[in-house]
């Protein structure tokens, strides 16, 4: 019914349907997303004739000609350096010392270290790989079933795009013309809420199934253990401290904070003698591979967005949806449903560049704060990292452990449900996203 309404509103023809079918078909054949987007955009422009094909080349370069995008490879590289210098293990030691007094302490520590890693790398897949290698075997030794241990790491790593600094917020800020620093500030409470929801879920699951024993520790023993871990690993927190203080104090842009974090992490690696010059080629290649997946998608999304705008698809979508219902609560549910469904079948970056310009006018039409819309969108897409058929984090931890993706996905269901509760709260309670913002953004 929605599709019929949209077709009547915009008068869609084969210049729209054929590129869409081409995009879906190429994705189904495992063609890289950037190539599928580019082919669909060029086909749409050729068939519609609304924009000269010569404009595509210009759009490709202007789409990535943004200073803010420089932060993406810098944060990715920071995460790689962090792992190679061994500083990520210091995070785990401190997290374990914080939670060792509770039943299910190492499971909680795993979630916490995912959040700590997210506060530096901004990438969920990197967090899943780094934390998974450190913790999954130990989780199994502590009494967790392997599929559940994998699901716990996959869920915790979702905070990679939800806790600032986040690559996803840099991209959506670029697409919609919103300051990444503002989005980082707004995302702090929602990101922590997701982290807490995963922690609470693990605690509940532990009480139900008694996966892990523990909690037999006096306060003096706990404090002594915590002080010992902080004394031996306090310097690891210099890097996230620089990032958070620099960005939230306004002294550094996200790009400058990323550059500073890279330099400081490298210097610390040399001081600790855990980093060698011979490590640099592998680090740079690893970071370049991740960055090489993201930037072409952003580049080819520019001509696609222009083609869709010229055809009136975003405006037609708003008219079509509001023609079905004008209830803001139902429209929000519809947007969340679209985002979660999209997150299940496609990665975050293409979802942002394709859906943000289409859904943003609908959010504006019902009076949703644009910052709140961005936070809701990224959080809803984040759920897709642990939901089949794509579930990027599921594939990452499966690749590390050899465990079946379906078994991991089944164990991830409780985490998905609690994350969805947080998504709904973000969507219907604006204060969660806007409390920390200056009044001008509320």
């Amino acid at each position: 019914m929605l599709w019929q309404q949209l077709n009547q509103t915009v008068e869609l023809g084969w210049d729209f349907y054929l590129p869409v079918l081409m995009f879906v078909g190429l994705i189904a054949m495992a063609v890289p997303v950037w190539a599928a987007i580019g082919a669909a955009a060029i086909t749409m422009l050729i068939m519609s004739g609304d924009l000269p094909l010569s404009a595509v080349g210009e759009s490709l370069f202007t789409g990535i000609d943004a200073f803010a995008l420089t932060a993406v490879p810098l944060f990715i590289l920071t995460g790689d350096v962090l792992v190679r210098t061994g500083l990520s293990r210091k995070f785990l030691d401190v997290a374990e010392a914080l939670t060792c007094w509770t039943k299910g302490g190492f499971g909680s520590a795993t979630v916490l270290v995912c959040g700590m890693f997210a506060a530096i790398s901004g990438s969920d897949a990197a967090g899943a790989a780094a934390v998974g290698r450190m913790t999954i075997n130990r989780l199994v030794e502590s009494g967790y079933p392997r599929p559940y241990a994998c699901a716990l790491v996959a869920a915790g790593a979702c905070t990679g795009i939800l806790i600032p600094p986040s690559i996803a917020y840099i991209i959506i800020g670029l697409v919609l013309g919103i300051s990444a620093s503002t989005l980082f500030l707004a995302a702090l409470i929602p990101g922590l809420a997701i982290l807490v929801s995963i922690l609470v879920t693990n605690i509940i699951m532990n009480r139900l199934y008694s996966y892990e024993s523990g909690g037999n520790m006096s306060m003096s023993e706990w404090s002594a253990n915590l002080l010992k871990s902080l004394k031996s690993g306090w310097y690891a927190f210099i890097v996230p401290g620089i990032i958070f203080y620099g960005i939230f104090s306004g002294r550094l842009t996200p790009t400058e904070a990323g550059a500073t974090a890279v330099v400081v992490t490298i210097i610390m690696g040399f001081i600790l003698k855990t980093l060698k010059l011979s490590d640099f080629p592998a680090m740079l290649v690893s970071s370049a591979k991740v960055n090489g997946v993201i930037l072409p998608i952003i580049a080819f999304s520019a001509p696609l967005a222009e083609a869709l705008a010229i055809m009136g698809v975003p405006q037609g979508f708003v008219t079509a949806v509001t023609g079905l219902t004008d209830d803001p609560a139902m429209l929000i549910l519809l947007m969340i449903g679209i985002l979660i469904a999209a997150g299940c079948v496609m990665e975050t970056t293409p979802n942002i560049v394709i859906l943000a310009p289409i859904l943003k006018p609908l959010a504006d039409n019902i009076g949703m704060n644009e910052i709140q819309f961005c936070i809701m969108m990224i959080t809803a897409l984040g759920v897709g990292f642990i939901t089949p058929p794509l579930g990027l984090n599921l594939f990452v931890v499966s690749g590390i452990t050899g465990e079946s993706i379906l078994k991991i996905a089944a164990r991830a269901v409780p985490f998905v449900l609690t994350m969805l509760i947080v998504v709904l709260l973000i969507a219907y309670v604006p204060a969660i996203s806007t409390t920390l913002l200056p009044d001008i953004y509320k």
Side-chain angles (χ1 to χ4, degrees):
M1 187 175 181
L2 175 60
W3 191 263
Q4 293 176 345
Q5 188 81 8
L6 178 61
N7 193 39
Q8 293 172 1
T9 305
V10 188
E11 297 182 356
L12 300 175
W14 279 108
D15 56 346
F16 175 80
Y17 290 121
L18 184 60
V20 169
L21 292 173
M22 177 185 293
F23 174 77
V24 174
L26 290 173
I27 292 295
M29 291 188 293
V31 172
V33 176
W34 64 268
I37 292 176
I42 292 172
T43 303
M44 194 175 293
L45 290 173
I46 291 174
M47 294 186 67
S48 66
D50 293 326
L51 198 67
L53 197 58
S54 59
V56 173
E58 182 180 352
S59 296
L60 291 177
F61 286 98
T62 56
I64 58 175
D65 183 20
F67 178 69
L69 275 181
T70 312
V72 174
L74 291 172
F75 283 124
I76 293 171
L77 181 57
T78 301
D80 281 340
V81 179
L82 193 75
V83 172
R84 290 182 181 272
T85 55
L87 293 176
S88 55
R89 289 197 170 272
K90 297 298 181 183
F91 291 144
L92 180 59
D93 292 341
V94 173
E96 188 175 3
L98 276 171
T99 59
C100 62
W101 61 276
T102 65
K103 185 177 181 180
F106 190 68
S108 298
T110 299
V111 178
L112 282 180
V113 80
C114 284
M116 293 175 185
F117 199 91
I120 297 175
S121 72
S123 170
D124 58 290
V131 177
R133 289 190 180 98
M134 290 190 296
T135 62
I136 288 177
N137 287 335
R138 284 192 58 188
L139 286 168
V140 174
E141 291 171 2
S142 300
Y144 292 93
R146 185 169 290 273
Y148 179 86
C150 294
L152 180 63
V153 172
C158 288
T159 57
I161 68 163
L162 305 179
I163 293 178
S166 162
I167 294 171
Y169 285 118
I170 294 173
I171 294 171
I172 197 172
L174 179 69
V175 171
L176 299 180
I178 302 172
S179 164
S181 297
T182 302
L183 291 174
F184 286 170
L185 188 61
L188 194 56
I189 293 177
L192 292 176
I194 288 289
L195 184 70
V196 170
S197 74
I198 298 170
L199 277 171
V200 171
T201 303
N202 180 61
I203 291 171
I204 293 174
M205 296 299 288
N206 249 297
R207 290 195 175 276
L208 289 175
Y209 298 104
S210 299
Y211 289 143
E212 181 182 359
S213 59
N216 300 318
M217 181 177 289
S218 67
M219 183 59 68
S220 59
E221 289 175 325
W222 174 77
S223 59
N225 194 33
L226 178 60
L227 287 173
K228 181 181 178 181
S229 65
L230 287 172
K231 185 177 179 180
S232 64
W234 62 270
Y235 49 84
F237 292 87
I238 293 176
V239 179
I242 289 173
I243 294 174
F244 272 76
Y245 175 75
I247 293 175
F248 295 137
S249 67
R251 296 180 182 275
L252 298 174
T253 65
T255 301
E256 293 167 343
T260 305
V262 169
V263 173
V264 171
T265 310
I266 290 173
I267 291 173
M268 291 175 66
F270 283 132
I271 291 174
L272 297 170
K273 298 181 179 180
T274 55
L275 188 66
K276 298 176 291 186
L277 287 176
S278 59
D279 293 328
F280 277 76
M283 287 193 305
L284 293 174
V285 168
S286 175
S287 299
K289 285 180 178 179
V290 178
N291 197 51
V293 172
I294 296 173
L295 289 186
I297 294 174
I298 299 173
F300 278 99
S301 69
L304 178 63
E306 291 176 358
L308 291 174
I310 291 172
M311 296 176 70
V313 172
Q315 297 82 359
F317 180 78
V318 173
T319 303
V321 171
T322 53
L324 296 176
T325 177
D326 57 359
D327 183 358
M330 292 302 298
L331 293 175
I332 289 173
L333 278 178
L334 176 64
M335 284 193 288
I336 292 174
I338 291 172
L339 291 169
I340 291 174
C344 289
V345 297
M346 199 159 55
E347 295 176 8
T348 303
T349 301
N351 277 326
I352 291 172
V353 298
I354 293 172
L355 293 177
I358 294 176
L359 295 179
K360 173 66 163 49
L362 180 59
D364 292 338
N365 192 67
I366 62 176
M368 177 180 280
N369 183 292
E370 65 176 5
I371 305 295
Q372 180 192 6
F373 166 75
C374 291
I375 305 301
M376 178 194 74
M377 179 172 187
I378 300 302
T379 309
L381 290 175
V383 178
F385 284 110
I386 52 172
T387 50
L390 179 64
L392 182 60
N393 288 2
L394 300 180
F395 281 90
V396 172
V397 295
S398 175
I400 293 171
T401 63
E403 193 63 51
S404 164
I405 290 175
L406 291 179
K407 289 182 179 180
I408 301 172
R411 296 287 188 152
V413 170
F415 301 109
V416 172
L417 295 177
T418 53
M419 290 173 70
L420 287 176
I421 293 172
V422 177
V423 172
L424 292 173
L425 289 173
I426 292 170
Y428 290 106
V429 184
I432 295 175
S433 306
T434 60
T435 296
L436 299 179
L437 296 177
D439 291 338
I440 189 174
Y441 294 108
K442 298 181 180 180

